[in-house]
Amino acid sequence: MRNTRENDRLLKFPEVKAMVGLGRTTIRKLELQGKFPRRITLGPTLVHWSYKEVQEYLERVTEQRDTGDDGDGEA
């Protein structure tokens, strides 16, 4: 069985921010709305995000931009 997490890595917040250009509050809001990948909690104050999931998020929002779909179900 192939590991689907193969070649994945965990990102700290500064790396996620650099990739997506969003701040901590906006990312948290999008997470709670189910629109951004959920954080992975490794400790009481230590969270990371999956590189693959963040990359998929970027691909999804780019596709929505290209198709004119803003993600709310109304094009």
Side-chain angles (χ1 to χ4, degrees):
M1 185 167 122
R2 185 170 175 263
N3 182 356
T4 58
R5 293 285 180 192
E6 188 177 307
N7 299 321
D8 197 4
R9 65 187 184 97
L10 296 178
L11 303 173
K12 294 179 180 179
F13 174 73
E15 296 171 290
V16 174
K17 182 177 181 178
M19 283 180 72
V20 301
L22 300 173
R24 192 176 304 273
T25 302
T26 302
I27 288 173
R28 186 62 179 151
K29 184 171 143 181
L30 291 171
E31 279 181 298
L32 292 171
Q33 294 172 352
K35 296 179 179 180
F36 193 83
R38 291 179 53 200
R39 63 189 66 205
I40 299 164
T41 303
L42 299 176
T45 60
L46 183 61
V47 297
H48 287 75
W49 287 261
S50 159
Y51 172 81
K52 283 185 176 182
E53 291 177 4
V54 173
Q55 192 64 37
E56 289 168 1
Y57 163 80
L58 289 171
E59 291 169 7
R60 187 172 64 249
V61 296
T62 300
E63 182 178 302
Q64 289 171 351
R65 177 205 63 196
D66 294 344
T67 61
D69 179 9
D70 63 7
D72 69 359
E74 299 177 21

